[in-house]
Amino acid sequence: MTISMPARLAGPLARTLVVATAAGALLAAAPAAVPAAPAAPAPRISAPGGFVMDARGGGRLFAKAADGRRATGSTAKIMTAVVVLEGRPDLDRKVTVRKAYSDYIVSRNASSARLIVGDRVTVRQLLYGLMLPSGCDAAYALADTFGKGSTRAARVRSFIGRMNATAGRLGMRDSRFDSFDGISNGSTWSTPRDLARLGAHALRNRVFRTVVGTRTYTARTVTRGGGQRTMPRWTNTNPLLGSYRGALGIKTGSGAHAKYCLVFAARRGDRTVVGAVLAAPSAAARAADARRLLDRAFGRAAAAAPARGGATG
């Protein structure tokens, strides 16, 4: 169909029609906007407090009441190990097991590495006894050995003071320790964020990584009479080792007030993720929480950036 118009209007009007027609064609040809995919919901965990971070950059990957102070249970033993290792000890130094260590675990009904009074064990063996079966007798031996003072009580106080000083240096503003093993006298607490930071710091130490990543260990000690004793095998209490791909360990904790805690870490490719859950209702629940958080962390990492070849130390 042909549209006629007065000559004086034909030029301007024609140009207007051409522009309008072109704009309409462009609008018609433009694809409809695709709505952005909704972000994956944050994982639900049973523990009332949790935190997950990227070990290299420190970026937060998950937080739930991350700065809420809670009892630590034996996750405090991470700090015990850190204080010992940062002193660069002779790992082959022999330490005599004292009756006080045995009496302590009996009086507190505490977890034990089953050290034998009079035996001489190395510092390395004590670290395995501390972190695998969560031996409070091993923790006592380390505090007594590496604290300073003329009496055992003074040495223990000195060691706990170093634990708190180290927490301050690491920026753990919501943490305090009043024992070498997490059996609190009422003044030990930390937060998921602080414990995850502590775990990430501890993993930088090669000896610590080796110890917490070991599933079983058998110590051979020197008896009081100079003979050799093969100790019952110690098994790591960390439920992720051997059951979660890339798990590095770190430390479990439990207690009447602490309930069930876990500081955990895993590595896939060149990415290490560290986290903590505190006060889970059961041992099974803390493990399930950790797996769920790790799955989410590695899934997010894979979506956010392409994998890079090779692992770094």
Side-chain angles (χ1 to χ4, degrees):
M1 180 176 64
T2 302
I3 300 176
S4 60
M5 60 189 71
R8 63 186 180 87
L9 295 177
L13 186 54
R15 286 193 296 271
T16 302
L17 287 172
V18 169
V19 172
T21 303
L26 287 172
L27 290 172
V34 178
R44 297 175 65 87
I45 61 173
S46 62
F51 186 79
V52 181
M53 62 180 280
D54 181 280
R56 176 179 295 176
R60 184 184 72 180
L61 302 175
F62 172 86
K64 175 183 177 183
D67 298 313
R69 295 178 177 181
R70 299 183 182 278
T72 67
S74 286
T75 62
K77 290 174 177 139
I78 302 169
M79 182 61 85
T80 306
V82 165
V83 169
V84 170
L85 289 170
E86 288 193 344
R88 298 184 179 181
D90 176 2
L91 296 176
D92 295 321
R93 173 182 174 181
K94 296 287 197 305
V95 175
T96 300
V97 178
R98 306 296 180 185
K99 185 174 182 294
Y101 313 155
S102 177
D103 291 345
Y104 174 80
I105 61 172
V106 171
S107 66
R108 296 298 188 100
N109 191 28
S111 55
S112 170
R114 294 172 287 178
L115 300 177
I116 306 299
V117 175
D119 278 9
R120 298 176 68 210
V121 299
T122 66
V123 171
R124 188 190 313 273
Q125 290 168 340
L126 287 173
L127 287 168
Y128 278 99
L130 173 78
M131 300 304 287
L132 271 64
S134 199
C136 296
D137 45 357
Y140 198 166
L142 289 167
D144 188 17
T145 300
F146 292 101
K148 295 182 179 181
S150 58
T151 67
R152 182 170 295 120
R155 290 190 292 273
V156 167
R157 284 195 301 272
S158 165
F159 189 88
I160 295 169
R162 289 171 61 192
M163 293 172 71
N164 285 304
T166 302
R169 177 169 55 82
L170 296 179
M172 297 170 62
R173 293 185 295 272
D174 292 301
S175 297
R176 188 182 187 281
F177 301 95
D178 70 1
S179 70
F180 46 73
D181 58 3
I183 297 181
S184 176
N185 298 309
S187 300
T188 289
W189 59 76
S190 190
T191 69
R193 188 192 307 272
D194 278 1
L195 287 174
R197 286 176 173 170
L198 176 62
H201 171 80
L203 284 174
R204 297 173 188 168
N205 183 283
R206 178 184 55 82
V207 175
F208 184 89
R209 290 195 307 271
T210 299
V211 170
V212 299
T214 299
R215 295 177 65 183
T216 63
Y217 182 87
T218 301
R220 292 174 176 81
T221 65
V222 179
T223 67
R224 192 196 305 264
Q228 298 287 321
R229 186 193 309 279
T230 300
M231 297 288 292
R233 184 174 61 182
W234 292 327
T235 300
N236 200 316
T237 59
N238 192 306
L240 302 184
L241 286 174
S243 68
Y244 188 87
R245 182 167 63 89
L248 301 175
I250 296 185
K251 190 70 187 74
T252 57
S254 61
H257 297 293
K259 297 185 180 178
Y260 294 89
C261 310
L262 181 60
V263 180
F264 54 90
R267 183 182 185 87
R268 292 185 182 176
D270 65 352
R271 188 182 185 97
T272 299
V273 172
V274 184
V277 290
L278 298 184
S282 69
R286 73 183 172 191
D289 285 348
R291 290 188 179 96
R292 192 173 295 120
L293 292 174
L294 287 170
D295 284 345
R296 171 62 182 274
F298 286 120
R300 176 181 293 178
R308 287 172 284 181
T312 58

